[in-house]
């Protein structure tokens, strides 16, 4: 809204569910399928914990938190990771998440630019999550080169772990390529909410549910995130961090790209309701809520249909007309396509 003028409208869906999967509240479609993107990171970390990584590398809560993060690339995050690498005998040169958009923190980016320092892959928001695969490779004696390839055993283990969390099998996962070069997975919004409800209160997972075997590891991840919110996001303008700092010990939050967010609400009294059990909330905004890709594609396509742009101009504007997203290795991850047809209303009324 700009001085009472509605400039943009964003549609979305919200669902809150308990650990058993029962819907508590909803707005829109709880079965809307979303790709997890970075919202999967707390659960991907389970692969390392279940494999004995905490004991093998003497991992601390702060290090676990940054491996569940989409961090801002501040010195705090880099120092935490580099300290871990030295202790574990891992080289950051193997990081395959790229450096596009790094660091997210504007102050850090300005300082690096002032000093003439080019940000490396370790300052990318996904370097913590990619560290999970480097450590898994170190732990199991796997070659860390090209760990991001789907055939790498660390990625096989990632798929198996995500399948366990969502009570399915690796062969049934719906898979796509994430922006950082590894796979991402798609689930109905209500299942995302349920996963975050389990993260909020792992002890509430029914004993007959095979996912109860993950309760100890889920508790470790949750507690690490709650204790280190600035390592999950950053020190400046990061909603996940701010939520966990504003309600300490009450919510655990992790966003994903394209406007997805999962929030686990821990058990305890709430304001204005009698509900005291844990729940998980999943929120998505239909248009992705950022980056300007939609307005780029729609503007060019509308002008093309209106005849204001000839074919040569459309070709020249191709990167705006059909913006693409590629991973650090050049593979096509996504493409924005404007799919509509302008009705010639003015012509029809003549």
């Amino acid at each position: 809204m700009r001085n009472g003028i509605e400039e943009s409208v964003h549609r979305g869906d919200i669902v809150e569910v308990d650990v058993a999967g029962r819907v508590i509240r909803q707005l829109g479609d709880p079965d809307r399928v979303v790709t997890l993107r970075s919202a999967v990171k707390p659960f991907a970390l389970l692969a390392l914990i279940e494999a004995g990584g905490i004991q093998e590398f003497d991992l601390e809560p702060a290090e676990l938190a940054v491996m569940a993060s989409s961090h801002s690339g501040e010195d705090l995050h880099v120092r935490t990771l580099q300290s871990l690498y030295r202790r574990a005998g891992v080289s950051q040169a193997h990081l395959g998440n790229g450096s596009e958009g790094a660091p997210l923190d504007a102050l850090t980016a300005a300082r690096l630019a002032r000093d003439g320092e080019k940000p490396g892959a370790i300052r990318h928001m996904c370097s913590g999550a990619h560290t999970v695969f480097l450590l898994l490779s170190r732990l199991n004696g796997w070659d860390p080169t090209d760990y991001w390839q789907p055939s790498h055993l660390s990625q096989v283990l990632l798929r198996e772990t995500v399948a366990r969390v969502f009570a399915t099998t690796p062969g049934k996962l719906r898979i796509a390529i994430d922006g950082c070069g590894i796979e991402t997975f798609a689930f109905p919004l209500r299942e995302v909410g349920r996963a975050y409800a389990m993260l909020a209160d792992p002890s509430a997972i029914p004993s007959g549910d095979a996912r109860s075997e993950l309760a100890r590891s889920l508790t470790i991840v949750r507690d690490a995130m709650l204790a280190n919110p600035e390592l999950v996001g950053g020190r400046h303008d990061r909603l996940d961090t701010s939520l966990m700092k504003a309600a300490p010990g009450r919510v655990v939050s992790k966003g994903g790209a394209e406007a997805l967010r999962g929030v686990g609400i821990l058990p305890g009294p709430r304001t204005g309701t009698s509900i005291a059990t844990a729940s998980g909330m999943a929120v998505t905004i239909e248009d992705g809520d950022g980056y300007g890709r939609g307005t780029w594609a729609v503007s060019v396509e509308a002008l093309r249909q209106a005849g204001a742009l000839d074919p040569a101009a459309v070709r020249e504007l191709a990167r705006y007309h059909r913006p693409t997203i590629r991973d650090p290795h050049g593979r096509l991850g996504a493409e924005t396509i404007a799919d509509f047809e302008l009705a010639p209303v003015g012509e029809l009324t003549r």
Side-chain angles (χ1 to χ4, degrees):
M1 301 292 291
R2 188 186 300 273
N3 194 28
I5 301 167
E6 185 178 77
E7 289 192 320
S8 300
V9 178
H10 305 270
R11 292 189 296 268
D13 306 279
I14 305 170
V15 62
E16 181 185 359
V17 301
D18 63 15
V19 175
R22 291 183 292 264
V23 174
I24 299 173
R25 298 179 179 88
Q26 73 176 69
L27 177 68
D29 182 7
D31 293 310
R32 179 180 180 85
V33 175
V34 294
T35 49
L36 287 171
R37 306 296 296 274
S38 289
V40 77
K41 291 176 179 178
F43 308 107
L45 179 54
L46 298 177
L48 179 61
I49 296 174
E50 290 284 298
I54 291 179
Q55 295 78 13
E56 179 68 21
F57 301 113
D58 193 24
L59 298 175
E60 301 175 355
E63 294 165 340
L64 294 170
V66 81
M67 285 190 281
S69 79
S70 294
H71 64 74
S72 293
E74 299 167 63
D75 292 349
L76 168 69
H77 308 108
V78 172
R79 286 196 301 267
T80 302
L81 288 170
Q82 288 178 332
S83 174
L84 170 57
Y85 291 170
R86 287 192 294 270
R87 192 171 70 250
V90 169
S91 172
Q92 70 185 60
H94 287 299
L95 282 170
N97 47 255
S99 58
E100 183 179 359
L104 289 180
D105 181 63
L107 293 176
T108 302
R111 192 196 79 225
L112 295 178
R114 180 199 66 200
D115 296 342
E117 180 181 342
K118 183 179 180 181
I122 197 168
R123 289 201 184 266
H124 188 276
M125 65 178 179
C126 294
S127 64
H130 280 240
T131 298
V132 170
F133 310 120
L134 294 180
L135 292 181
L136 280 171
S137 297
R138 178 72 171 170
L139 178 65
N140 291 286
W142 301 331
D143 183 354
T145 306
D146 295 343
Y147 68 82
W148 45 269
Q149 290 281 11
S151 58
H152 195 275
L153 291 176
S154 68
Q155 301 307 303
V156 173
L157 188 54
L158 170 64
R159 292 192 291 272
E160 291 174 351
T161 302
V162 172
R164 287 180 69 188
V165 171
F166 286 87
T168 186
T169 62
K172 292 181 179 179
L173 290 172
R174 296 186 64 180
I175 298 173
I177 298 176
D178 206 341
C180 63
I182 60 173
E183 292 178 334
T184 187
F185 312 94
F187 293 98
L189 202 62
R190 70 166 76 220
E191 292 302 322
V192 179
R194 187 175 186 180
Y196 274 86
M198 293 190 297
L199 181 63
D201 189 7
S203 66
I205 303 174
S207 58
D209 189 326
R211 290 174 286 191
S212 62
E213 298 173 359
L214 295 171
R216 177 180 172 277
S217 296
L218 282 165
T219 301
I220 291 171
V221 174
R222 179 199 66 190
D223 291 349
M225 294 174 69
L226 291 175
N228 299 277
E230 290 185 343
L231 284 165
V232 176
R235 290 173 168 166
H236 310 111
D237 300 324
R238 297 302 305 277
L239 181 55
D240 291 328
T241 296
S242 296
L243 284 172
M244 288 188 282
K245 291 181 72 172
R250 296 291 297 121
V251 299
V252 56
S253 178
K254 184 68 192 75
E258 300 300 330
L260 175 69
R261 172 158 281 102
V263 180
I265 304 172
L266 277 67
R270 303 192 196 183
T271 302
T273 178
S274 61
I275 295 176
T277 55
S279 65
M281 183 170 287
V283 180
T284 187
I285 303 301
E286 186 175 303
D287 64 7
D289 201 30
Y291 298 106
R293 292 191 298 265
T295 190
W296 286 358
V298 168
S299 297
V300 175
E301 175 62 13
L303 291 169
R304 185 197 69 80
Q305 291 189 28
L309 298 176
D310 62 23
V314 173
R315 287 195 298 271
E316 187 173 340
L317 294 165
R319 71 186 184 95
Y320 300 99
H321 191 204
R322 295 184 72 148
T324 60
I325 298 174
R326 297 185 180 274
D327 75 1
H329 315 285
R331 298 177 300 177
L332 179 65
E335 182 178 32
T336 301
I337 300 173
D339 184 10
F340 62 91
E341 184 174 350
L342 296 174
V345 178
E347 296 178 11
L348 294 174
T349 56
R350 287 181 180 176

